[in-house]
Amino acid sequence: MARLAHRLTRDIDRQPLHPREVSPLELNRRHFLYGSVAAMAAASSLGTASLKSASASAPRVAPGARVLVIGAGFAGIGAARALALDGYTPLIVDARDRIGGRAWSHTDLGTSVDLGAAWLHGGDDNPLKPHAQQLQIPWHPADYGNGRRIDLRGDVIGVAELADSMGAPALQARLADGLFWAWLRWRLGRLVNASGSGRSLAEHWEVAFAGAPDADACALRGAMESYFAAPLDEIALESLFVGEGDELLPSTERLMTGGMQRLAEGLATNLDVRLDTIVERLEWSPGRVTAITTDGEIEAEAAVITASVGLLQQSRPQLSPALPDTHRSALNRLAMGLLNKIVLRYPHRTWDDGEEYLALCGSRLASVVINYGSHGGAPILVGMLGGQRARDVEGMSNDKAVGLLHAELRRILGANLPEPDAAIVTRWGQDPWSLGSYSFLPVGARGNEAQTLAEPVADTLFLAGEAIDTGGYGAAHNAWRSGLRAARQISGGGPLLPS
């Protein structure tokens, strides 16, 4: 069994904008789960394949055809760019008044702060990395060992260095080593039938961490609920066995200090994009689609649909005829998660600029706090809210949410912390064009939902989005990769963009 955490010092790249990256923890999904052998077995048994190795085939849609792309996020932009490269005529439509989808960069606080997607995950393997470099969008290498674990549950705050607590091999090896037998039972079950295990990640967690240092396990659990955007007792055990090594508690990540939305906008350059255009209904038959929108009807020969899982589950847009039963069944086994943020800007810094992260145990709201000052930005602290905390803030007033987090930060950073002079509270569950942050596998999921949803419908409808990438889910690069896959299905295997 591979060790879950180990030291990593690595020169990722030598770009002037992107300095030498050093991370103390390599916490990738393969190490986190069950070692490279088991990871390869799981990936191969799920039929996962790399885009690069997919063989060319006859086009499903005639070359040069018009293709409607619903959604101007990374999935839609990726599909449209690849289709244009293959000689098709893509048209992107989006209900929002901006490009980027769930990549939304706020720039009114003295620096760019991403309210949605914020990181490039996966190190050098992230297919968006070369595009960010080409567009010269600044990033900051994330050092997850640079910070403290804070226990707020008692009258006296408990403090430990992150590298010595959540990064401790003894702590994290409990989860990795214990997962082997859980994975084996899951794999054997899949050989017998196609149903899910019916077990939650929380069930395994309680067993794996029995007797572990309480505050460390508490903080790690909060970080995982932020990663999965759901409470652990709702997350299927299968969540840990899906993908091709996507990072769980990752290293070699880049925080996009220049803005993820800026990356999306740069990638959309020269594409035909219509914003403020709501697709209310999509009527289709093999080889033809008609979109009834708030800006009139649009005719095309095929459609790439990148709406979120939350929207598709509510039949938005309405499809006539509806998706096949196989697709609807897979869709209904997924769920939308919530990762909200509370952004606090202060008049000046009173805290250590060199400390990047605070991992909190016992917080009313945040599981992780990011210090933007350590990234060369403004005096901004961002609380990350996952699991039940993210749901709680949806029903809070801004004043209450800001007040609760600020009070906790004063306990941690000292009474001289001034009142924030600006704040933003996200509520992605109330966003009408996403109904959540990103997808997760709830208890009852099988782990093969993305493979099913990625199957073309009558060579006319092609689904894409972060939930429909066969190599993982939940991140911007998953959305991008799914868009490339949809374009390849349409063209039959034309040239791909760098990936």
Side-chain angles (χ1 to χ4, degrees):
M1 175 76 58
R3 201 179 93 182
L4 175 62
H6 60 77
R7 292 280 174 177
L8 174 67
T9 303
R10 180 180 177 191
D11 193 356
I12 299 297
D13 46 51
R14 304 178 184 276
Q15 298 296 321
L17 263 170
H18 309 122
R20 184 176 186 270
E21 303 188 9
V22 179
S23 176
L25 303 177
E26 182 177 342
L27 301 171
N28 59 57
R29 184 167 295 206
R30 281 199 175 91
H31 286 130
F32 184 84
L33 298 181
Y34 37 74
S36 59
V37 174
M40 289 187 290
S44 63
S45 64
L46 288 174
T48 313
S50 166
L51 282 172
K52 295 177 182 178
S53 63
S55 58
S57 59
R60 287 183 167 90
V61 179
R66 190 183 204 192
V67 179
L68 176 66
V69 179
I70 302 176
F74 282 104
I77 294 169
R81 280 173 59 102
L83 287 168
L85 188 65
D86 286 347
Y88 291 84
T89 305
L91 168 63
I92 300 176
V93 297
D94 197 292
R96 302 182 191 272
D97 60 0
R98 58 176 177 80
I99 287 172
R102 284 165 272 174
W104 182 18
S105 304
H106 193 88
T107 57
D108 294 341
L109 299 181
T111 191
S112 179
V113 178
D114 279 304
L115 304 184
W119 281 271
L120 292 184
H121 302 272
D124 286 341
D125 292 333
N126 191 307
L128 291 171
K129 179 194 170 188
H131 298 293
Q133 289 178 303
Q134 184 179 19
L135 292 167
Q136 297 190 318
I137 300 175
W139 65 49
H140 185 93
D143 182 350
Y144 290 104
N146 180 13
R148 291 174 290 162
R149 186 270 293 145
I150 307 293
D151 188 354
L152 294 169
R153 293 173 297 178
D155 294 334
V156 178
I157 294 176
V159 180
E161 295 298 317
L162 278 180
D164 298 328
S165 57
M166 291 173 63
L171 176 71
Q172 300 201 38
R174 288 174 175 269
L175 194 54
D177 293 344
L179 275 171
F180 175 76
W181 295 109
W183 170 80
L184 184 59
R185 286 193 296 270
W186 177 73
R187 287 300 313 132
L188 291 174
R190 284 183 57 83
L191 294 176
V192 176
N193 58 64
S195 64
S197 69
R199 299 183 62 206
S200 72
L201 181 54
E203 294 177 58
H204 176 76
W205 183 276
E206 299 300 336
V207 174
F209 280 90
D214 177 61
D216 295 344
C218 169
L220 183 58
R221 179 169 183 150
M224 289 188 66
E225 290 189 332
S226 291
Y227 174 84
F228 283 111
L232 290 195
D233 59 2
E234 297 181 17
I235 302 167
L237 187 63
E238 284 81 356
S239 301
L240 298 175
F241 309 134
V242 173
E244 296 177 310
D246 286 346
E247 296 182 322
L248 183 58
L249 296 173
S251 66
T252 61
E253 281 199 336
R254 286 96 172 173
L255 179 65
M256 295 298 292
T257 52
M260 285 289 281
Q261 185 179 340
R262 180 178 162 193
L263 176 57
E265 290 169 343
L267 289 168
T269 300
N270 298 325
L271 294 177
D272 189 358
V273 182
R274 297 185 191 177
L275 301 175
D276 292 310
T277 303
I278 302 170
V279 178
E280 297 174 329
R281 182 179 175 87
L282 191 69
E283 298 175 350
W284 68 277
S285 58
R288 178 157 298 277
V289 298
T290 301
I292 292 85
T293 80
T294 52
D295 195 33
E297 293 189 0
I298 299 173
E299 301 281 346
E301 281 69 54
V304 177
I305 303 172
T306 73
S308 73
V309 164
L311 290 179
L312 290 174
Q313 289 174 336
Q314 292 192 3
S315 298
R316 296 171 56 193
Q318 182 181 1
L319 303 181
S320 179
L323 290 172
D325 289 343
T326 52
H327 287 62
R328 284 185 290 171
S329 177
L331 186 62
N332 289 333
R333 292 197 301 272
L334 300 176
M336 281 298 286
L338 275 179
L339 178 64
N340 279 318
K341 300 180 183 181
I342 301 176
V343 182
L344 303 181
R345 188 187 69 184
Y346 289 90
H348 54 272
R349 301 184 190 95
T350 61
W351 58 86
D352 181 4
D353 253 2
E355 190 172 63
E356 292 186 42
Y357 299 97
L358 299 173
L360 307 185
C361 171
S363 169
R364 289 279 305 276
L365 289 177
S367 56
V368 176
V369 174
I370 306 169
N371 174 18
Y372 264 72
S374 70
H375 302 147
I380 289 174
L381 299 174
V382 179
M384 307 283 286
L385 289 64
Q388 187 57 47
R389 297 178 181 93
R391 297 172 184 175
D392 291 342
V393 82
E394 295 267 330
M396 285 185 191
S397 67
N398 283 357
D399 288 346
K400 182 176 180 179
V402 168
L404 283 173
L405 181 57
H406 174 66
E408 291 181 345
L409 290 173
R410 289 196 74 185
R411 283 192 69 196
I412 299 167
L413 301 175
N416 63 336
L417 183 69
E419 293 290 321
D421 59 10
I424 301 171
V425 181
T426 70
R427 295 178 180 85
W428 282 101
Q430 299 175 35
D431 184 285
W433 307 119
S434 64
L435 301 180
S437 301
Y438 46 85
S439 63
F440 72 96
L441 299 184
V443 175
R446 301 173 183 174
N448 61 356
E449 285 75 17
Q451 283 80 3
T452 299
L453 293 169
E455 287 296 318
V457 178
D459 290 347
T460 303
L461 302 184
F462 302 82
L463 302 184
E466 52 82 14
I468 313 176
D469 175 27
T470 56
Y473 57 92
H477 73 272
N478 296 126
W480 173 261
R481 201 159 54 190
S482 75
L484 299 185
R485 181 263 307 153
R488 190 181 187 96
Q489 289 173 323
I490 288 171
S491 68
L496 285 175
L497 302 175
S499 61

